[in-house]
Amino acid sequence: MKRIVGYAVFGLIVILLQTTLLPRLLGHGPRPDLVLLLTLHIGLNERALPGAFSAWLLGCLLDVFSGTTFGLYGLILLLIFCAATAVGRQLNRDNSMVMVVATLFGTTGHALLLITTLLLFADADQGWHLVLRQLPLQLLFNLLAVIVLSPLFAMFAGHKQATARRVLS
Amino acid sequence: MLDFFKRYQTPLLFCLLLLCALLLYSNSLRQRQHTSLFEKAVLQLASPFYRTIDSVCRDSARRWNDYIDLIDVRQKNIQLRKQVRFQKQRLLQLRETEQENIRLKNLLGFVQTSKLPVLPARIIAEDASSWFRTITIDKGSTDGVVEGLPVVVAEGIVGRTIKCGHNSSRVLLVIDASSEVAALVQHNRTRGITRGKGAQLTFDYALRSMDVHPGDSVVTAGTGGVFPKGLPIGTISQVVKHSYGLFQTLELIPSVDFSRLEDVLVLLPESP
């Protein structure tokens, strides 16, 4: 529970940065999707159920500040978490490249899920054009962000492992 | 049965969570104009942070311009540079005031011609993702803002309010792909619907027989129930006529420069 609340608070801070600071620094175009990166990190490092709750909660928080329909990002980030958890189990998560590869596939998957959800459930005639057009730049920004933030992610993962070792001993 | 639940507890809870997420989304789709308690609470929680971050950013930018680059001034030039700094600061302030004056004069001009009561608001944040086009303004339900109100500037329409917290609201811009506005070409009254395309707009369902040209102005039709009639939407930049079909599609350049928006007006409903 503590970790879920922690992720929610951290997510809210990230969203506030994403809506205020990043547009000032990077302009009005695409910018790094830090919430997606956080979800991927949770997917690769967190246990299944608390992680799933955290991802859903992060998505719902993002929905308050983005888009028109509440629950859209909740659903998408939950699905991304599921994919990251399922695939992440097969990988060596200590390798920092895993997060980079996860970002590459996560960003693409995020865009495809967004398009599919909008086409299936909402009336978004031209929405998919926009998402596809922005995808390359979004990929670039997310990859740059994950490379810059990799020490932070490594620190979080290391802290979690240390806590787990302490509990086990 | 209990063994089954125990054995597959995690996958079952996972599926339940996924189902909950799907149900929440599908329920929200039917109540788009409704701001839920969760959304109100989070918007309310974020509102002071937004204001603080906004004022800190403005102050930092001003200080960066005015002071930081003058830190390494040589001692003997301190007095002179102080004077230059002061003059620069004054000049920046005056320019800022001049720009603000121009903006507010434009808005005032609109306020005087508008028959509806208006509420000036400042933009404090943008959409959290790159895919959607929404903004957050510093006025909420305590100022009389409700969902579905038109938001405009002197140059034309900006969007409509979609979520309202106590002290802040979110506005769906007309350039968002999910935004639709009933419109007409000003000179020959061709009716249609404008839709957002990210940075531009399209005008759909314009009858093929109607004579329209690039450069023609498009205004609100006033039939959608949100925007009053006659507000500028944009200018036709391209006419797309396919070889068959009843309609032609028009590409529009919005009359509002969305990358430079700072202050907007919310058109409040007429008091009974």
Side-chain angles (χ1 to χ4, degrees):
Chain A
M1 189 64 190
K2 223 167 153 184
R3 292 190 73 81
I4 295 177
V5 175
Y7 281 128
V9 172
F10 188 66
L12 194 59
I13 294 168
V14 163
I15 291 169
L16 287 176
L17 288 180
Q18 214 160 285
T19 50
T20 52
L21 270 186
L22 291 188
R24 281 170 204 272
L25 295 173
L26 301 171
H28 297 267
R31 46 190 176 269
D33 193 342
L34 301 178
V35 184
L36 174 67
L37 300 187
L38 184 61
T39 309
L40 289 170
H41 172 79
I42 295 171
L44 291 174
N45 294 287
E46 195 54 76
R47 281 180 294 128
L49 277 177
F53 269 112
S54 304
W56 188 34
L57 191 59
L58 277 178
C60 289
L61 282 174
L62 187 60
D63 277 316
V64 178
F65 299 92
S66 176
T68 53
T69 318
F70 184 67
L72 172 68
Y73 277 116
L75 183 65
I76 288 175
L77 290 189
L78 182 59
L79 288 169
I80 291 211
F81 169 84
C82 294
T85 306
V87 179
R89 280 180 188 166
Q90 321 296 325
L91 305 170
N92 171 21
R93 283 169 283 183
D94 292 335
N95 189 335
S96 58
M97 276 308 287
V98 169
M99 191 60 195
V100 178
V101 176
T103 305
L104 184 73
F105 286 104
T107 309
T108 315
H110 181 258
L112 294 179
L113 277 173
L114 189 65
I115 291 170
T116 315
T117 319
L118 287 175
L119 286 177
L120 282 179
F121 295 101
D123 176 29
D125 260 359
Q126 301 172 25
W128 67 276
H129 283 289
L130 276 176
V131 177
L132 275 188
R133 208 186 309 145
Q134 285 192 6
L135 182 59
L137 212 53
Q138 188 67 52
L139 260 173
L140 184 72
F141 272 115
N142 284 358
L143 286 172
L144 282 176
V146 83
I147 290 166
V148 171
L149 298 174
S150 57
L152 193 71
F153 287 124
M155 194 181 78
F156 280 149
H159 176 71
K160 189 178 173 278
Q161 280 165 3
T163 315
R165 270 199 296 272
R166 209 166 43 238
V167 169
L168 282 173
S169 66
Chain B
M1 191 67 176
L2 204 65
D3 279 349
F4 175 81
F5 278 117
K6 272 185 182 168
R7 187 186 294 175
Y8 297 105
Q9 191 184 22
T10 307
L12 282 173
L13 282 170
F14 229 80
C15 292
L16 191 69
L17 195 62
L18 206 62
L19 191 69
C20 285
L22 198 62
L23 284 175
L24 179 75
Y25 175 56
S26 82
N27 185 50
S28 300
L29 274 172
R30 275 177 281 150
Q31 301 177 341
R32 276 190 188 181
Q33 290 292 323
H34 172 73
T35 309
S36 67
L37 207 62
F38 178 78
E39 288 174 287
K40 276 184 184 163
V42 176
L43 277 174
Q44 178 67 15
L45 186 72
S47 178
F49 291 105
Y50 269 150
R51 282 162 205 268
T52 313
I53 294 173
D54 187 51
S55 66
V56 167
C57 283
R58 280 170 199 266
D59 281 354
S60 314
R62 209 173 294 142
R63 282 185 189 170
W64 179 263
N65 289 335
D66 293 348
Y67 298 111
I68 301 295
D69 53 348
L70 293 174
I71 283 172
D72 297 326
V73 178
R74 283 182 296 170
Q75 197 61 38
K76 63 179 179 179
N77 286 334
I78 282 176
Q79 197 60 39
L80 191 63
R81 291 210 181 231
K82 253 185 188 172
Q83 205 178 336
V84 172
R85 191 174 59 188
F86 177 73
Q87 294 296 344
K88 271 187 181 173
Q89 193 182 352
R90 284 274 301 158
L91 192 64
L92 275 172
Q93 279 174 350
L94 283 172
R95 277 186 190 152
E96 192 62 28
T97 314
E98 188 188 24
Q99 289 295 323
E100 197 173 11
N101 204 2
I102 292 168
R103 278 202 321 269
L104 293 176
K105 262 187 182 168
N106 280 339
L107 286 179
L108 187 66
F110 181 85
V111 171
Q112 280 166 352
T113 52
S114 170
K115 287 167 190 152
L116 292 168
V118 295
L119 178 72
R122 173 173 273 189
I123 295 166
I124 52 173
E126 289 188 23
D127 197 285
S129 78
S130 312
W131 318 117
F132 296 100
R133 301 285 183 270
T134 66
I135 51 170
T136 307
I137 55 171
D138 66 345
K139 295 289 188 289
S141 53
T142 48
D143 305 288
V145 181
V146 291
E147 289 88 357
L149 290 183
V151 178
V152 300
V153 287
E155 291 79 23
I157 60 168
V158 172
R160 64 187 158 88
T161 54
I162 49 166
K163 308 277 174 189
C164 297
H166 286 293
N167 297 313
S168 60
S169 305
R170 288 187 52 225
V171 176
L172 177 72
L173 300 180
V174 282
I175 50 172
D176 186 277
S178 61
S179 172
E180 290 177 344
V181 180
L184 42 90
V185 179
Q186 197 170 31
H187 81 97
N188 63 3
R189 318 313 276 177
T190 306
R191 286 187 177 276
I193 290 171
T194 55
R195 291 197 168 116
K197 255 182 85 179
Q200 293 192 327
L201 299 158
T202 54
F203 186 105
D204 293 333
Y205 307 118
L207 282 175
R208 193 181 161 77
S209 54
M210 289 294 187
D211 186 30
V212 287
H213 302 284
D216 290 349
S217 295
V218 174
V219 295
T220 51
T223 52
V226 177
F227 293 99
K229 191 174 183 173
L231 295 177
I233 297 176
T235 316
I236 297 171
S237 60
Q238 202 185 344
V239 180
V240 183
K241 271 189 186 176
H242 299 291
S243 48
Y244 57 89
L246 280 174
F247 304 110
Q248 54 188 328
T249 303
L250 315 174
E251 302 277 331
L252 305 185
I253 297 170
S255 51
V256 176
D257 184 354
F258 289 93
S259 63
R260 292 177 183 213
L261 272 183
E262 285 180 58
D263 304 292
V264 292
L265 292 172
V266 183
L267 301 185
L268 298 171
E270 275 179 300
S271 44

